[in-house]
Amino acid sequence: MSSRLAETNSEFLSLRPQYTSDTGKLTRHVQAAVDWEATHGLLLKAPKIEGQLLSNGGSVEWLDSALIPAPVSFAPSPVPRKEFEKVVSLQPILNLLFDKISQDHEFLTSTLESIGSADEFTARIFSMYEELHRLDVAKPGVIGIHRSDYLIHAPESEPDSSPKAKQVEFNTIASSFASLSSIVGDFHRYMLAKTGYKDLLESGVISADQLPENESLTSIGDAIAAGFDLYGNNDAVVVMVVQPRERNVFDQRWVEKRLWERHQIAVVRLSFAEVNDKCTANSNGRLFIDGKEIAVAYYRSGYAPTDFPTEKEWNGRWIIEKSRTISIPNLAYHLAGCKKVQQVLAQPGVVERQEAARVRECFVGLYPLDGSAEGQQAYADAMSRPAVFVVKPQREGGGYNTYGDDIPGLLEGLSSEERKAYILMDLIRAPGFKNVLMREGKLISSEVVSELGIYGLWIRSADGRVIVNKHGGHLLRTKASDVYEGGVAAGFAVIDSPLLV
């Protein structure tokens, strides 16, 4: 490791290596890179092409099982080492904070009631939460699998300021790419060892000690297993609730593999509709699938309205929530991850009252867009200075946020009631970096920005004992700097790994 660490924005920018824009120099490495991805399970299912036909009129049935290499960066992208280590150390504090929020019925109610009926999806989840609270269903414990996402705020116009990791959002449901993220770190170590990145580097160096180890390949499965033990039935199963025609299957299969090979816990994959059709509960609230009791339901779906196209899907979720099965996340955790909660936490004194003052240094300005005086001022600011803001709804998964010049049109088209479903956030100014992205064997040189995610693992027993509270590895997603959104599954980004400087 270099003895010199980036203390200022100018140092961070100058310590970064410079990569070539000439992808032709790298083409001789592409086949080996793609083959490495295939042999290490760094894969996605191919996109479904409706109505695809052969020249003779037959259907292309093999497309249903076709696989493609996951989109990745050819080399790691720089992140300030001090900020990386800081947000890793903050994760247990955030885990505890959000568990406290999930147990604070008055806080959740007062915060989310202000959204009203402006967001039908969140209102439906909130209604289920209130009904479950009324029923007072006993669960053996709580499992939280989180991811706190950050951008590095390091504007070139402020060379003497320090680069700072600023929180974009805190995810409590379906935090994906933990498995593939770890494998991408291994891919970059392989490429460094084999090629030295000599054809890529124009200046600077990459050394192995700049590439941090990443436990996220195994940590999610181990956390689920620790929560599974609280249920008290070693013969039970885990249900992984997935989206129909899921493409990111292998990220999920690695979790399934860990559960079986390390913990001898079987996983059954179901959609919410299949939960409705195939799962039954007994008079004691225990849930079964094909005669096997379900100890844990791990959601890799359920974070967006599109996951609930009919009442059958909603009923599938409710069947799980009202049973003894431990859901990941439970309804309170799901709501705690709403953007409105994030905005309220940023208000003066809120995190301090929860004994989590350290997390404030990662916050940027967050404002309501409701009818309050603060909300009216935020609306006026967004209309007059849209370039410095982002407008966020209560959504996960990528593709929902509105930026810059698109903000006035969005806000003008919303009624005052509808605006309650959104928050306004200061735009984080992350510096661009020239990297090479690899999609389906093709190299693309691009100015990029990277978003760092730190996984958090939390297990609490029914009697309040904390079984697990730790970070669980990291994810780096990198996208072209002129693309605002950063979701890999949504097609905006590639999976990357951090180069610590």
Side-chain angles (χ1 to χ4, degrees):
M1 181 179 72
S2 170
S3 59
R4 185 184 174 197
L5 297 179
E7 299 285 351
T8 66
N9 292 342
S10 61
E11 288 177 350
F12 172 53
L13 297 175
S14 65
L15 287 172
R16 303 181 303 175
Q18 300 298 308
Y19 296 163
T20 185
S21 298
D22 183 2
T23 57
K25 295 179 180 179
L26 309 174
T27 52
R28 67 191 183 99
H29 303 298
V30 169
Q31 192 59 56
V34 169
D35 291 348
W36 192 98
E37 285 196 74
T39 55
H40 291 79
L42 191 49
L43 300 165
L44 299 176
K45 281 197 169 184
K48 180 73 173 178
I49 304 176
E50 298 291 350
Q52 182 73 24
L53 299 175
L54 295 170
S55 58
N56 64 4
S59 63
V60 189
E61 294 180 0
W62 59 266
L63 273 174
D64 288 336
S65 56
L67 311 178
I68 60 172
V72 300
S73 65
F74 189 75
S77 295
V79 172
R81 182 182 291 271
K82 288 181 67 174
E83 292 304 291
F84 177 85
E85 293 173 348
K86 180 183 77 178
V87 294
V88 167
S89 71
L90 282 178
Q91 192 59 45
I93 300 173
L94 284 164
N95 294 340
L96 176 59
L97 172 63
F98 276 81
D99 186 66
K100 287 181 177 179
I101 291 168
S102 74
Q103 296 180 77
D104 192 335
H105 179 67
E106 182 179 347
F107 176 83
L108 282 177
T109 300
S110 62
T111 299
L112 296 172
E113 274 184 341
S114 64
I115 296 174
S117 60
D119 185 322
E120 292 182 1
F121 174 70
T122 303
R124 183 74 179 264
I125 298 293
F126 183 68
S127 176
M128 293 170 69
Y129 161 75
E130 286 196 305
E131 176 64 12
L132 195 68
H133 186 266
R134 186 187 66 80
L135 293 173
D136 194 25
V137 175
K139 301 273 187 173
V142 170
I143 306 173
I145 297 176
H146 313 136
R147 196 185 66 231
S148 186
D149 292 337
Y150 305 88
L151 286 169
I152 302 301
H153 184 74
E156 296 182 45
S157 59
E158 302 173 11
D160 295 328
S161 297
S162 298
K164 295 293 183 184
K166 294 296 184 180
Q167 190 180 63
V168 176
E169 62 186 1
F170 191 88
N171 301 282
T172 59
I173 182 168
S175 298
S176 60
F177 287 107
S179 303
L180 298 193
S181 172
S182 178
I183 300 171
V184 170
D186 293 338
F187 166 68
H188 288 155
R189 275 182 278 273
Y190 163 79
M191 293 299 293
L192 175 63
K194 185 178 181 184
T195 72
Y197 281 123
K198 293 177 182 178
D199 294 326
L200 176 74
L201 285 165
E202 291 190 338
S203 65
V205 297
I206 299 175
S207 60
D209 58 14
Q210 292 178 281
L211 306 179
E213 294 295 327
N214 189 358
E215 63 187 89
S216 60
L217 179 66
T218 57
S219 66
I220 307 300
D222 290 346
I224 294 172
F228 178 96
D229 288 343
L230 294 175
Y231 194 84
N233 180 358
N234 292 336
D235 294 325
V237 299
V238 170
V239 163
M240 187 181 296
V241 183
V242 299
Q243 295 170 328
R245 295 163 61 176
E246 171 68 71
R247 293 187 59 216
N248 190 25
V249 169
F250 300 99
D251 186 60
Q252 300 168 0
R253 290 291 191 186
W254 281 107
V255 176
E256 181 178 339
K257 179 177 184 290
R258 180 70 174 184
L259 281 166
W260 180 250
E261 294 185 352
R262 179 65 180 268
H263 305 283
Q264 290 73 56
I265 298 172
V267 173
V268 179
R269 294 171 62 88
L270 299 173
S271 67
F272 277 119
E274 289 171 328
V275 170
N276 178 77
D277 293 343
K278 298 180 180 181
C279 296
T280 57
N282 68 14
S283 58
N284 295 321
R286 295 175 181 267
L287 196 61
F288 295 84
I289 173 73
D290 295 332
K292 284 286 189 179
E293 190 169 0
I294 302 169
V296 175
Y298 172 40
Y299 299 158
R300 293 298 293 260
S301 176
Y303 52 83
T306 50
D307 291 327
F308 299 92
T310 72
E311 283 300 309
K312 182 180 285 190
E313 286 79 13
W314 282 113
N315 195 53
R317 172 115 190 222
W318 182 239
I319 286 170
I320 293 170
E321 298 297 343
K322 69 179 181 179
S323 74
R324 190 174 183 270
T325 299
I326 304 171
S327 55
I328 313 175
N330 61 32
L331 290 165
Y333 262 68
H334 187 159
L335 292 170
C338 287
K339 305 301 186 294
K340 183 63 181 178
V341 171
Q342 184 183 3
Q343 178 255 308
V344 171
L345 287 177
Q347 293 176 346
V350 177
V351 293
E352 288 76 9
R353 287 194 293 273
Q354 298 284 355
E355 299 178 353
R358 273 192 65 199
V359 305
R360 181 167 297 284
E361 61 185 294
C362 293
F363 290 167
V364 296
L366 293 145
Y367 319 97
L369 284 168
D370 54 22
S372 66
E374 186 183 7
Q376 292 179 31
Q377 183 60 55
Y379 175 81
D381 290 342
M383 295 298 289
S384 62
R385 297 183 293 118
V388 297
F389 295 112
V390 52
V391 173
K392 293 186 168 187
Q394 315 301 314
R395 292 287 181 275
E396 306 295 341
Y400 296 104
N401 298 335
T402 304
Y403 298 80
D405 291 340
D406 293 331
I407 290 176
L410 169 72
L411 296 182
E412 286 175 342
L414 297 174
S415 67
S416 57
E417 180 66 23
E418 290 170 331
R419 286 204 304 270
K420 292 179 181 179
Y422 295 79
I423 66 164
L424 186 69
M425 177 176 170
D426 288 342
L427 189 66
I428 303 167
R429 289 181 286 166
F433 174 74
K434 183 74 74 173
N435 203 340
V436 176
L437 313 181
M438 190 167 72
R439 285 185 176 276
E440 300 176 26
K442 297 179 181 178
L443 299 178
I444 305 163
S445 176
S446 180
E447 182 90 359
V448 300
V449 294
S450 298
E451 185 171 308
L452 174 66
I454 305 297
Y455 293 98
L457 309 173
W458 174 271
I459 315 293
R460 172 173 52 81
S461 66
D463 61 6
R465 289 179 297 117
V466 178
I467 310 300
V468 174
N469 181 17
K470 57 179 289 189
H471 79 89
H474 57 266
L475 165 69
L476 198 70
R477 290 170 296 173
T478 291
K479 61 184 178 60
S481 57
D482 59 354
V483 175
Y484 282 120
E485 295 288 358
V488 177
F492 300 112
V494 303
I495 314 170
D496 200 345
S497 77
L499 177 74
L500 302 183
V501 299

